[in-house]
Amino acid sequence: LRTSSLPFNVHPLDTLSKDSSVTPLLMAKGSGKGQGGSALPIISLICSLAEFGFSVGITIIVQQDLAISPFCFLEGYDISNMSICNYAYAMAAWSILIAFCVALLKLFTACCCKVPHILEIIFGISMICWWLVGAIVMTYYGTEANSNNFPQEQARNMVIGFSWAVFTLFIIGTIVECKTVAED
């Protein structure tokens, strides 16, 4: 392509971008309806990493600050009852396990177009329900323990906040996956 054959105010790269057979590497805009690359995979990744991080954080906080044998300072009524601390462990551990399974499923089904996204939507909806119940339970018992002036209030409040954060992240992640499926 010679610049001498172009009209006076036209840049050579403008002509190239209109020609579908010749597109320079620097002008490639990514995928997604010619609008540039989608940020949805990055948002999904950030949500997944944050869900994992908050779940690990809950486990560590409960282990180090709230489940001090034979007491559970997350329990609002009877600190000698370890069931709420065990529930917090199970809630976080299940979330970590599901995140790992979803990652494996996405890895092994990556070539199957919408399948990984649909699986993530299904798991996301189940985890939204899981964390909604868990966050309500943590809030109920944690608030009761705070009102009874049991020790470790800051750690309890962190577990409550982390629970609601993971719940919110699963909502965002599931919406992102639904949008990804709709765009494909």
Side-chain angles (χ1 to χ4, degrees), residues 81-99:
N81 183 354
M82 295 293 287
S83 63
I84 297 301
C85 285
N86 291 336
Y87 179 69
Y89 282 133
M91 183 175 65
W94 184 249
S95 186
I96 292 167
L97 178 66
I98 290 292

Side-chain angles (χ1 to χ4, degrees), residues 15-156:
T15 305
L16 285 176
S17 66
K18 293 175 186 166
D19 181 5
S20 63
S21 64
V22 182
T23 305
L25 181 61
L26 295 175
M27 293 188 65
K29 293 187 175 189
S31 60
K33 300 178 185 172
Q35 302 290 325
S38 176
L40 295 178
I42 294 169
I43 295 170
S44 180
L45 176 65
I46 290 169
C47 285
S48 296
L49 291 174
E51 291 158 5
F52 179 80
F54 282 122
S55 296
V56 170
I58 289 171
T59 304
I60 291 169
I61 292 167
V62 171
Q63 192 269 327
Q64 290 183 350
D65 298 326
L66 296 173
I68 302 169
S69 188
F71 303 113
C72 172
F73 294 113
L74 192 54
E75 168 64 60
Y77 298 101
D78 178 14
I79 60 172
S80 63
N81 183 354
M82 295 293 287
S83 63
I84 297 301
C85 285
N86 291 336
Y87 179 69
Y89 282 133
M91 183 175 65
W94 184 249
S95 186
I96 292 167
L97 178 66
I98 290 292
F100 180 72
C101 290
V102 167
L104 284 178
L105 283 171
K106 285 181 84 170
L107 178 68
F108 292 122
T109 61
C111 62
C112 300
C113 301
K114 293 184 181 187
V115 172
H117 300 294
I118 292 170
L119 291 172
E120 192 151 345
I121 290 168
I122 292 168
F123 283 120
I125 291 169
S126 68
M127 294 311 290
I128 289 169
C129 297
W130 177 258
W131 278 100
L132 176 62
V133 171
I136 290 170
V137 169
M138 293 300 121
T139 301
Y140 175 76
Y141 283 99
T143 304
E144 191 62 35
N146 289 344
S147 67
N148 288 332
N149 293 319
F150 290 159
Q152 305 294 0
E153 181 175 355
Q154 182 179 5
R156 264 192 308 278

